[in-house]
């Protein structure tokens, strides 16, 4: 296992390129199971979760070829297994996204139930309820979902909760179902829209993606396509917060400002000067200390839960007091315990973290617990006095492409060492 060592104090400056969105690439890789011809996907981030998904599809017998720019071509015509083993699913919960495509195209699937993770129990009951309503026969046996279906049928679904991968799984299942499926209370995340646009380029008939009501008219087959993944809005937000915390001035290229309006609004509130163009965002603090902000996470277009840990870190060194309420996941303050070890003044009451900014954090040996929490520890290390060690950074490698390289390009003093 590796760890990162960060020497705090550098004001970030310069520009970096944002990678493709992990949470769009994962469902779109699963969608290749639906196509009766090769699918070529561009702008895929080089992340551990992507290689895990490619391993899963490869184990099923699909042909995958990757070029030097991480364009991936997937051909599902050689599929021979409809099985997602626990060994892979437990390392990446998003493997559940193969369930809908396998069922609707091949009529069968044995997919391990994804376990919980550090941030919550992460049930998939809404995925299963939706598929059952579409006519799938599902049983859970020995930790596996055993699923079969002659041909799924279109239904009118009302989701009890807004679920991103639940909406994605059911939308993919509906593309080859018989008749029309309507998903109400659907997730509106940009990654759901990116998946829908990719499916439409394969011949799917989908309307309303990005709204809370998605209508899918089933077709008999979907063809291969070439599709480019949208930029990662959470990676973008993470580097914007890094610049805000260090009082720096950074430009992020190959990103889309309209995907992060709630985040940009909070950065403005924190005192950042933000300018944007069609595919870039620039943030300047002019050496100022950020002001603390209060946040309530919610499904898109609300403030994203995946940016909560990063703003908790910002509040630790900001001026004033900020109150952050996490309303999406039940246990997403694991980073607070580590930040407190650096001298942060944070009090967690239920699903709220109340933070009073301190003049400085002190470096400490830290342990990463989950993807976004570990990113927040790196951000804290950028401003702490001394050298901060963040261990178990495989969590970070799941969601941030070459984080130490990108931060070094912005002037941070950071290096990766074996732990
Ligand atoms: C997706 O997870 C993202 N992952 C998460 O990003 C993100 O934090 C989350 O959406 C919320 O935006 C991917 O897209 C691969 P949910 P997902 O289903 O789909 C409950 C990251 O950091 N729920 O929208 O698993 C659930 O427990 C990751 O990149 C059920 O109760 O999240 C949660 O409280 C972390 N039953 C809420 O809904 C279900 O069947 C929202 O979860 C499904 C969900």
């Amino acid at each position: 296992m590796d760890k990162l060592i960060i020497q705090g104090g550098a004001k970030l400056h310069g520009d970096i390129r944002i990678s493709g969105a992990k949470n769009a690439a994962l469902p779109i890789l699963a969608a290749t199971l639906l196509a009766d011809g090769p699918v070529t996907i561009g702008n895929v981030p080089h992340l551990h979760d992507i290689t895990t998904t490619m391993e899963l599809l490869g184990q099923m017998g699909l042909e995958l070829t990757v070029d030097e720019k991480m364009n991936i071509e997937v051909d599902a015509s050689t599929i021979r297994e409809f099985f997602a083993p626990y060994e892979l699913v437990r390392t990446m919960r998003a493997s559940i996204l193969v369930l809908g495509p396998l069922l609707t195209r091949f009529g069968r699937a044995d997919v391990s139930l994804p376990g919980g993770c550090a941030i919550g129990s992460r049930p998939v009951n809404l995925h299963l309820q939706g598929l059952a309503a579409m006519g799938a026969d599902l049983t859970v046996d020995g930790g596996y979902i055993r699923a079969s279906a002659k041909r799924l049928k279109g239904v009118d679904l009302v989701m009890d909760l807004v679920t991103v991968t639940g909406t994605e799984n059911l939308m993919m299942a509906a593309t080859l179902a018989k008749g029309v499926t309507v998903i109400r209370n659907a997730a509106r995340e940009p990654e759901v829209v990116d998946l829908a646009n990719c499916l439409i380029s394969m011949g799917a008939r989908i309307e309303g993606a990005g709204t809370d009501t998605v209508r899918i008219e089933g077709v008999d087959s979907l063809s291969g396509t070439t599709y480019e993944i949208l930029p990662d809005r959470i990676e973008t937000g993470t580097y914007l917060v890094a610049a805000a915390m260090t009082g720096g001035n950074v430009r992020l290229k190959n990103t889309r400002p309209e995907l992060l309006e709630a985040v940009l609004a909070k950065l403005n509130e924190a005192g950042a000067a933000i300018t944007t163009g069609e595919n870039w965002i620039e943030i300047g603090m002019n050496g100022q200390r950020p002001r603390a902000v209060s946040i309530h996470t919610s499904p898109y277009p609300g403030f994203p839960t995946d940016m909560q840990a990063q703003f908790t870190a910002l509040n630790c060194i900001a001026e004033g007091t900020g109150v952050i309420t996490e309303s999406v996941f039940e246990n997403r303050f694991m980073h607070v315990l580590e930040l407190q070890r650096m001298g942060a003044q944070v009090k967690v009451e239920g699903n709220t973290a109340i933070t009073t900014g301190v003049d400085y954090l002190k470096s400490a040996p830290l342990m990463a617990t989950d993807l976004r929490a570990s990113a927040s520890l790196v951000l804290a290390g950028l401003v702490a006095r001394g050298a901060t060690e963040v261990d178990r950074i495989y969590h970070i490698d799941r969601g941030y492409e070459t984080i130490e390289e990108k931060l070094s390009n912005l002037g941070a003093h950071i290096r990766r060492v074996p732990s």
Side-chain angles (χ1 to χ4, degrees), residues 60-384:
M60 289 182 190
L62 280 73
E63 290 287 322
L64 292 103
T65 47
V66 191
D67 72 14
E68 70 292 343
K69 293 202 203 77
M70 268 301 273
N71 295 310
I72 301 176
E73 183 185 275
V74 186
D75 181 350
S77 59
T78 52
I79 190 168
R80 60 171 185 276
E81 275 190 13
F82 311 99
F83 174 60
Y86 176 62
E87 297 67 48
L88 279 176
V89 176
R90 74 186 171 87
T91 66
M92 192 196 62
R93 308 184 61 268
S95 310
I96 190 75
L97 285 165
V98 301
L99 181 59
L102 286 173
L103 255 185
T104 200
R105 174 120 192 261
F106 304 104
R108 47 191 284 217
D110 280 336
V111 177
S112 167
L113 266 177
C117 72
I119 64 178
S121 59
R122 313 291 296 276
V124 291
N125 59 310
L126 301 178
H127 300 234
L128 305 185
Q129 278 168 28
L131 292 169
M134 296 173 77
D137 182 27
L138 299 149
T139 54
V140 174
D141 163 43
Y144 279 80
I145 303 160
R146 314 282 182 192
S148 62
K150 282 193 183 48
R151 182 172 184 194
L152 294 179
K153 61 183 187 317
V155 289
D156 198 313
L157 296 168
V158 182
M159 306 302 289
D160 292 351
L161 280 172
V162 174
T163 159
V164 173
T165 49
T167 302
E168 291 167 346
N169 230 338
L170 295 169
M171 185 165 71
M172 288 190 282
T175 56
L176 296 177
K178 186 168 176 46
V180 173
T181 300
V182 179
I183 304 174
R184 302 181 195 284
N185 197 23
R188 301 161 56 184
E189 272 67 5
E191 293 74 29
V192 175
V193 177
D194 215 34
L195 170 63
N197 290 337
C198 178
L199 291 167
I200 289 166
S201 77
M202 292 158 69
R205 293 199 194 128
I206 301 174
E207 292 161 1
T211 74
D212 63 2
T213 304
V214 183
R215 184 182 184 280
I216 307 105
E217 185 183 341
V219 294
D220 291 335
S221 69
L222 292 176
S223 58
T225 188
T226 297
Y227 192 78
E228 172 118 347
I229 303 285
L230 90 169
D232 194 314
R233 62 193 167 99
I234 304 301
E235 185 196 23
T236 304
T238 304
Y239 288 113
L240 289 171
V241 172
M245 289 176 68
T246 59
N249 197 323
V250 159
R251 172 181 282 229
L252 303 179
K253 299 180 295 186
N254 188 55
T255 189
R256 285 184 22 205
E258 76 276 12
L259 302 180
L260 307 101
E261 285 177 1
V263 172
L264 297 182
K266 286 297 169 186
L267 286 165
N268 277 320
E269 243 183 77
I274 304 264
T275 46
T276 62
E278 192 195 331
N279 58 3
W280 58 267
I281 302 174
E282 188 158 320
I283 179 169
M285 293 301 291
N286 308 314
Q288 295 301 309
R289 180 182 181 186
R291 291 192 295 272
V293 291
S294 291
I295 284 163
H296 192 119
T297 67
S298 62
Y300 195 89
F303 188 93
T305 172
D306 291 349
M307 284 299 303
Q308 177 264 105
Q310 298 89 320
F311 272 83
T312 304
L314 179 140
N315 276 352
C316 289
I317 49 89
E319 202 173 311
T321 297
V323 178
I324 295 185
T325 303
E326 171 57 62
S327 69
V328 176
F329 290 111
E330 65 266 30
N331 184 35
R332 204 168 196 177
F333 284 126
M334 303 282 279
H335 44 290
V336 168
L337 297 171
E338 297 300 285
L339 294 168
Q340 287 167 336
R341 296 178 56 245
M342 302 175 82
Q345 297 301 308
V346 194
K347 202 167 52 169
V348 174
E349 289 175 0
N351 64 345
T352 297
I354 301 143
T355 306
T356 302
V358 293
D359 291 343
Y360 61 87
L361 294 175
K362 297 184 287 297
S363 59
L366 306 174
M367 187 77 75
T369 51
D370 61 273
L371 171 52
R372 307 304 173 184
S374 34
S376 76
L377 300 183
V378 172
L379 299 184
L382 291 174
V383 298

